[in-house]
Amino acid sequence: MYSQLIPALSRRFFLKSSAAIFVGSVASGYLLRGANAVEYKEFRLRAGVNPVRLVPEPNDMTNAWCFNGQIPGPEIRVQQGDRIRVIVDNALDEETTVHWHGMRVPNAMDGVSHLTQTPIAPGNTFTYEFDAVDAGTFWYHPHQRSFEQVGRGLYGPLIVEEKKPIRVDRDITWVLDDWRLAADGQISDDFGNLHDMSHNGRVGNTVTINGQVLEKFQVRRGERIRLRLINAANARIFGIDFGEHEPVIVAIDGQPVAPHKPKNDLLVLGPAMRVDVVIDMVGDINQQYTLTDSFYRELKYRLVDLVYTNTPLRDRIPDWDMQLPANPLSEPDLGNAERHDVTFSGGMMGGMVMQEMGGSAGHELMGAMGSMMGMMHSGKIWFINGIAAEGPIMEPMLTLSHGRSHVIMMTNATAWHHPIHFHGHSFRVLSRNGTPTRFKEWQDTVLMGPKERVEIAFVADNPGDWMFHCHILEHQAAGMMGVIRVTEPGERT
Ligand SMILES: [Cu+2]
């Protein structure tokens, strides 16, 4: 299905340390709010086209679309409770926006073109302001033609530090991405082709960590690292095998979870997901250990090597606590929750686009096939509750009463994985295929396997029209999105 994977480009680049990532402009200022002056942390992002060094010489630089001329965009790093102001300049030739993935922001700051704001025209500027309510690992990216804008490199990490973080020796961010590069090192411009749209999305041939094909990452024996992994790929699902090392998951999608080892020793990240792990460096000095991505079994490859220096940091594993402090999320009241069903359908199966064919259409197979091919060529390939979205302005698929608890039973009726993302809220993942989850983890993007049923729960406490969509960006573009409305406080549904 993928012709090449991690081609013979030489892998000689070292990781940029997160400390070296430069935030173009950081300032403090005062914003008048009522009678009080509120201090905010200010950042400036410029979306534009720039050559970047994704693959090592002698390959050419790659012309990417990126923030502040770098991949990933600058790491926005603040403390929980900070007020953030981000001024976004659009130097692209097309409209854009910035969405703060996983941040529980007011609806007007959510950055979804046409739904929550007018997109930023070329040459124009838009200022986002919101509070860092939750501590954790988040990211930002456009929500306008995302399949191409994110796919060409427009994204960056957003880290909200806890007031009392857990103790580690180093706090590292790795933004993972997957590119489809042509032999000349340029981004293949076959964005939005029918095959990617109707199968598993745009899976590429070159994986980068913080914008570089990374060969080695240096560590010290005895060192404890908090590694914040962010999957910024359009479609690639990562399944990282840490080999001799034992990562402990401490947060998923920014939200703390009881520290635990990954299931089957494989750390799985669907597109847009984040996982924070704590890793103790238990290897020997001067040795190196390979991290492998083996999510697609037939496409296993070496992600990076951990290389130990000759100077150990300590000779035993520290006994420091790994439990992160909880974020201020409302706990859903499952006994009094409103229940909803959502079914995802569509995509290629046995050579044709399948969706739930209701009523007579299901009996008239030839007619149904004809209409399915028609839907496919019109770009309607994926469906939520039988509807393929054509644009972001939609009648809400669900209207939820503000302040109420809601349980959504989601059914993936397709043959493919889908990372389902809900804006403006985090939700607990209650069960998978009827089996309760061990940690009832809070997430904003949940990876559903083929034919899987996943039950989520949350309190609808953030009013507005929110996107609910697959984060395989080709699936989103081909219909797999909807709008969930949360009413204003006191408003009846
Ligand atoms: Cu999908």
Side-chain angles (χ1 to χ4, degrees):
M1 201 167 301
Y2 331 93
S3 50
Q4 359 159 230
L5 182 91
I6 318 304
L9 300 163
S10 57
R11 313 177 87 217
R12 293 195 199 289
F13 264 74
F14 286 77
L15 179 71
K16 285 190 284 188
S17 86
S18 65
I21 293 177
F22 171 68
V23 174
S25 139
V26 185
S28 288
Y30 289 90
L31 178 72
L32 287 173
R33 261 192 134 191
N36 301 319
V38 179
E39 195 172 357
Y40 57 85
K41 288 195 177 153
E42 188 175 291
F43 303 86
R44 194 151 196 140
L45 294 177
R46 179 181 180 275
V49 181
N50 277 90
V52 291
R53 175 56 70 203
L54 285 187
V55 288
E57 290 178 278
N59 296 286
D60 285 339
M61 305 271 276
T62 303
N63 291 312
W65 298 3
C66 49
F67 290 109
N68 298 11
Q70 62 181 73
I71 305 264
E75 181 169 279
I76 294 177
R77 202 173 181 103
V78 298
Q79 264 214 344
Q80 188 170 20
D82 281 346
R83 168 156 275 245
I84 306 171
R85 181 177 209 213
V86 188
I87 303 161
V88 177
D89 300 310
N90 182 7
L92 299 168
D93 288 334
E94 61 180 60
E95 295 175 329
T96 193
T97 62
V98 180
H99 167 60
W100 316 97
H101 188 114
M103 301 284 289
R104 297 189 292 139
V105 302
N107 191 258
M109 295 290 117
D110 198 43
V112 179
S113 65
H114 302 293
L115 185 70
T116 68
Q117 69 170 95
T118 305
I120 313 167
N124 279 12
T125 292
F126 188 89
T127 300
Y128 295 90
E129 283 173 354
F130 50 89
D131 294 322
V133 175
D134 297 327
T137 303
F138 303 96
W139 66 300
Y140 58 87
H141 63 78
H143 221 288
Q144 159 72 8
R145 295 206 327 108
S146 316
F147 66 98
E148 181 164 2
Q149 295 197 359
V150 179
R152 287 191 183 275
L154 284 162
Y155 59 80
L158 199 174
I159 307 299
V160 183
E161 295 174 348
E162 300 84 16
K163 284 187 174 144
K164 286 186 180 166
I166 52 171
R167 185 170 171 194
V168 292
D169 295 306
R170 272 197 291 168
D171 183 334
I172 302 285
T173 304
W174 278 3
V175 186
L176 306 172
D177 196 5
D178 168 44
W179 308 77
R180 184 177 293 166
L181 299 182
D184 62 357
Q186 298 309 311
I187 297 167
S188 165
D189 55 13
D190 59 344
F191 285 95
N193 68 69
L194 207 53
H195 186 274
D196 287 347
M197 294 279 216
S198 58
H199 292 78
N200 58 347
R202 183 184 172 91
V203 175
N205 53 27
T206 304
V207 167
T208 56
I209 296 178
N210 292 347
Q212 293 178 339
V213 176
L214 184 68
E215 192 170 13
K216 296 176 191 315
F217 182 74
Q218 216 171 54
V219 299
R220 294 175 71 187
R221 179 172 164 79
E223 185 179 28
R224 174 171 285 189
I225 290 179
R226 176 177 182 173
L227 183 60
R228 300 169 184 266
L229 294 156
I230 301 172
N231 183 354
N234 278 31
R236 179 182 288 274
I237 301 165
F238 290 89
I240 306 173
D241 180 347
F242 285 77
E244 296 83 348
H245 292 81
E246 292 196 334
V248 177
I249 298 173
V250 297
I252 303 173
D253 289 351
Q255 302 296 344
V257 65
H260 65 281
K261 295 200 169 101
K263 205 174 158 189
N264 306 323
D265 292 321
L266 204 65
L267 193 72
V268 175
L269 278 107
M273 285 182 62
R274 291 87 62 214
V275 176
D276 288 29
V277 290
V278 168
I279 311 176
D280 286 310
M281 295 303 159
V282 294
D284 292 324
I285 60 164
N286 296 325
Q287 296 298 308
Q288 62 184 54
Y289 301 85
T290 297
L291 271 52
T292 310
D293 175 8
S294 57
F295 184 81
Y296 307 96
R297 232 170 284 160
E298 70 282 20
L299 294 173
K300 209 167 156 173
Y301 67 97
R302 179 172 64 102
L303 179 65
V304 65
D305 285 340
L306 298 181
V307 177
Y308 280 73
T309 66
N310 58 7
T311 51
L313 184 67
R314 64 174 69 81
D315 54 14
R316 56 192 153 71
I317 296 173
D319 59 358
W320 309 332
D321 192 11
M322 292 187 196
Q323 176 69 55
L324 288 162
N327 281 320
L329 290 154
S330 307
E331 188 61 42
D333 174 1
L334 299 181
N336 292 298
E338 292 177 15
R339 299 188 68 89
H340 316 270
D341 289 300
V342 170
T343 300
F344 303 98
S345 61
M348 289 303 276
M349 268 189 225
M352 60 181 191
V353 169
M354 298 297 284
Q355 72 146 329
E356 301 297 304
M357 301 303 291
S360 60
H363 302 291
E364 295 168 23
L365 187 61
M366 291 313 289
M369 279 182 71
S371 73
M372 284 185 280
M373 293 313 288
M375 284 187 284
M376 193 163 151
H377 286 285
S378 68
K380 294 182 187 172
I381 299 170
W382 302 93
F383 306 83
I384 304 182
N385 287 351
I387 294 171
E390 286 183 88
I393 310 165
M394 284 172 279
E395 278 303 300
M397 51 178 277
L398 292 174
T399 298
L400 308 182
S401 324
H402 181 269
R404 287 287 306 264
S405 296
H406 299 270
V407 172
I408 302 181
M409 176 57 87
M410 304 192 296
T411 302
N412 177 5
T414 81
W416 305 92
H417 283 87
H418 302 286
I420 302 300
H421 175 43
F422 181 35
H423 288 210
H425 299 75
S426 288
F427 47 79
R428 277 198 187 278
V429 179
L430 296 183
S431 71
R432 288 180 179 269
N433 290 330
T435 305
T437 55
R438 206 172 137 205
F439 299 103
K440 305 264 181 289
E441 47 274 51
W442 288 102
Q443 296 188 219
D444 56 58
T445 308
V446 61
L447 184 63
M448 299 185 76
K451 304 292 176 193
E452 196 175 27
R453 283 179 303 121
V454 175
E455 191 183 24
I456 63 171
F458 56 93
V459 177
D461 55 4
N462 201 354
D465 282 0
W466 300 102
M467 273 280 149
F468 175 78
H469 66 92
C470 179
H471 222 287
I472 289 180
L473 300 175
E474 291 71 29
H475 293 179
Q476 178 195 0
M480 206 167 184
M481 63 178 169
V483 168
I484 293 182
R485 175 170 294 166
V486 175
T487 61
E488 294 298 323
E491 185 189 345
R492 295 239 185 108
T493 56

